């Protein structure tokens, strides 16, 4: 792929449902059904923040970063390009996604659905 000059990838990591440490902690505290709802709401919140940032900066290009075993993720809203994270440690997977997107875009911002409190201004200030 060729680099899209002056664009910034916003790569949002979505953990495999039921396997994140946050999800496990929530399940232990509030139960599985409520933890599933918290996951869903975190995805919606993160997506809406990315859309709000994109409305202010047209150079932002959104991606969902998903586990390679996930064929279809029902909770992820459309409009983001899905990319598969590789294998290895978390550091190796994050590094691979970052490097792959840096081959296409001039900048890369990495996020997680486990941080729904992020604001559009945080994203915009991270974009150089």
């Amino acid at each position: 792929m060729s680099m899209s000059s002056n664009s910034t990838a916003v790569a949002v990591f979505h953990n495999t449902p039921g396997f994140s440490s946050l999800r496990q902690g929530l399940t232990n505290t509030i139960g599985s059904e409520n933890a599933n709802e918290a996951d869903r709401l975190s995805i919606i919140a993160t997506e809406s923040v990315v859309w709000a940032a994109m409305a202010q900066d047209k150079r932002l290009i959104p991606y969902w970063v998903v586990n390679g075993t996930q064929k279809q993720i029902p909770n992820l809203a459309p409009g983001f390009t899905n990319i598969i994270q590789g294998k290895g440690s978390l550091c190796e997977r994050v590094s691979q996604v970052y490097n792959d997107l840096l081959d296409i875009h001039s900048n890369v911002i990495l996020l997680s659905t486990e941080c729904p409190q992020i604001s559009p201004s945080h994203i915009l200030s991270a974009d150089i």
Side-chain angles (χ1 to χ4, degrees):
M1 295 185 170
S2 64
M3 181 193 282
S4 176
S5 65
N6 207 27
S7 66
T8 297
V10 180
V12 181
F13 281 76
H14 178 267
N15 295 309
T16 304
F19 290 103
S20 74
S21 58
L22 177 64
R23 172 70 166 74
Q24 291 171 353
L26 285 174
T27 297
N28 293 340
T29 305
I30 62 175
S32 183
E33 186 175 322
N34 289 331
N36 286 337
E37 181 65 5
D39 268 349
R40 188 183 73 76
L41 293 173
S42 289
I43 290 167
I44 291 168
T46 304
E47 179 197 25
S48 69
V49 166
V50 172
W51 282 117
M54 289 170 52
Q56 296 177 54
D57 187 342
K58 302 299 183 199
R59 297 173 305 131
L60 300 176
I61 310 297
Y63 293 87
W64 288 121
V65 183
V66 298
N67 179 303
T69 62
Q70 296 170 298
K71 300 296 183 214
Q72 188 70 282
I73 302 172
N75 291 338
L76 295 184
F80 288 41
T81 300
N82 288 350
I83 58 173
I84 305 296
Q85 58 181 295
K87 298 194 184 296
S89 71
L90 177 59
C91 290
E92 291 167 330
R93 290 177 285 145
V94 169
S95 178
Q96 185 64 51
V97 167
Y98 179 81
N99 289 324
D100 287 350
L101 289 174
L102 200 54
D103 287 343
I104 304 168
H105 302 281
S106 53
N107 300 302
V108 178
I109 298 171
L110 302 172
L111 302 174
S112 170
T113 57
E114 291 185 347
C115 299
Q117 70 277 19
I118 195 165
S119 71
S121 63
H122 288 122
I123 295 170
L124 294 168
S125 69
D127 185 24
I128 299 172

